[in-house]
Amino acid sequence: MTFNEWALAHEPTVRLSAFFGVFALMAAWEALAPRRVRLLPRRVRWLHNLALVVLNSLILRLLFPIAAVGFALRAAEHGWGLLNAFEIPFWWAFALSVLALDFVIYLQHVMFHAVPVLWRLHRVHHADADIDVTTGARFHSIEILLSMLIKFAAIAVLGAPAAAVLVFEVLLNATAMFNHANLRLRAPVDRLLRWILVTPEMHRIHHSMEVAETNSNFGFNLPWWDRLCGTYRESARLPQESMAIGVKGLTGSEQAVKLTGLLALPFVNAGGGYAIGSESDSDHEAR
């Protein structure tokens, strides 16, 4: 059995084990060393946030039964993609694929902020009042489907090995839970760690209500793209304990908490869909 075939055979086990393991660790860390005081009861938010995660997982399995790892294996069988067109050592192809897929996710994230209709979907993620470990997986179902299609396209163009896709997806899910977690890192540790990984202190700025801060720190896994593309912001205007988190006019409302409201949110609330650069980053709040 090749590494790619092993990845396909064990994909559900690896992903679920990583998800539950990291989730439990982050939840415990949040309980022991929280960064911000919660605004809403955890049991209410977690019930609906996790219900959305389960719903999205079921939809993905129904519409994309082979998932990204299976698609990568199929791409290899057909010789699709740049990496399958040349004789490249496996570990080079593996590393390049993980880096390239992470950059694609960074660009996708920017796009979901820059295009008003996509921002309406993405606001489901940003409207969470208490950013924590569950926020890292709280996305509208349509955004999840669009993200999978973008991922499939990137895999087809790249010819990414199935093993690299599996590792990338596990890392992406794990780091998303980590950098959304409501946990406290010592300042020296955060300064060092954010050179190689997006930290909670770095990503929490992205969930600020202020436009200039919302439109910064787009990375989920690697922090380098923000630095290279000029979207990195070292600190928020206000201390992280007191800065406003979420989307103005939505955060804390029933529509932004309950599962039915989250699913309907992009269609019943026009809110402030905006394109990056269409408003003054210094004079307006994120809507």
Side-chain angles (χ1 to χ4, degrees):
M1 179 183 290
T2 66
F3 198 1
N4 284 336
E5 290 171 338
W6 181 92
L8 180 62
H10 296 280
E11 182 256 349
T13 302
V14 171
R15 290 195 62 174
L16 285 174
S17 298
F19 175 83
F20 287 114
V22 174
F23 183 92
L25 178 61
M26 293 302 107
W29 195 347
E30 287 182 341
L32 292 172
R35 185 68 166 94
R36 290 169 54 93
V37 176
R38 292 182 180 276
L39 300 177
L40 298 174
R42 179 186 296 181
R43 64 182 183 277
V44 175
R45 287 183 51 260
W46 278 31
L47 173 65
H48 295 280
N49 283 2
L50 294 177
L52 183 57
V53 174
V54 172
L55 175 64
N56 289 342
S57 299
L58 292 174
I59 291 173
L60 281 178
R61 283 299 176 183
L62 178 64
L63 298 182
F64 300 101
I66 65 171
V69 175
F71 184 78
L73 198 59
R74 183 166 297 180
E77 292 170 353
H78 290 82
W80 298 340
L82 294 172
L83 296 175
N84 289 318
F86 302 96
E87 290 292 333
I88 299 176
F90 173 79
W91 290 110
W92 276 104
F94 182 96
L96 287 171
S97 295
V98 172
L99 287 172
L101 288 171
D102 197 66
F103 184 52
V104 168
I105 293 300
Y106 166 83
L107 294 176
Q108 173 191 306
H109 195 179
V110 173
M111 180 178 70
F112 270 83
H113 277 250
V115 180
V117 67
L118 297 180
W119 169 244
R120 290 180 67 165
L121 294 170
H122 192 57
R123 284 181 312 156
V124 170
H125 176 65
H126 275 266
D128 206 351
D130 292 308
I131 179 173
D132 69 8
V133 62
T134 64
T135 312
R138 175 182 136 146
F139 294 93
H140 194 276
S141 303
I142 296 176
E143 179 174 358
I144 290 291
L145 294 176
L146 291 174
S147 180
M148 183 61 77
L149 291 174
I150 292 170
K151 200 178 300 178
F152 276 17
I155 291 168
V157 171
L158 274 172
V165 174
L166 175 59
V167 168
F168 167 72
E169 293 218 294
V170 169
L171 284 174
L172 183 64
N173 290 335
T175 53
M177 286 188 283
F178 168 66
N179 58 48
H180 285 86
N182 181 30
L183 54 85
R184 184 180 297 276
L185 284 177
R186 294 174 63 88
V189 175
D190 174 71
R191 284 195 298 270
L192 178 62
L193 192 58
R194 68 166 63 185
W195 282 101
I196 57 174
L197 191 69
V198 175
T199 67
E201 296 289 301
M202 177 180 168
H203 191 74
R204 201 175 291 117
I205 297 168
H206 177 74
H207 282 260
S208 164
M209 282 191 184
E210 297 196 14
V211 169
E213 294 171 358
T214 306
N215 291 332
S216 68
N217 298 357
F218 291 97
F220 272 93
N221 184 6
L222 299 174
W224 309 328
W225 316 126
D226 282 300
R227 295 178 183 273
L228 290 171
C229 297
T231 54
Y232 175 69
R233 180 175 287 267
E234 183 175 356
S235 59
R237 183 177 63 86
L238 297 175
Q240 293 219 359
E241 294 88 349
S242 58
M243 72 178 182
I245 292 287
V247 178
K248 189 176 181 181
L250 290 178
T251 297
S253 67
E254 183 173 301
Q255 190 177 42
V257 175
K258 292 192 174 181
L259 176 62
T260 52
L262 295 176
L263 293 173
L265 182 59
F267 310 105
V268 300
N269 189 308
Y274 65 92
I276 290 176
S278 65
E279 298 184 70
S280 168
D281 285 353
S282 60
D283 295 337
H284 293 76
E285 293 181 304
R287 294 179 300 193

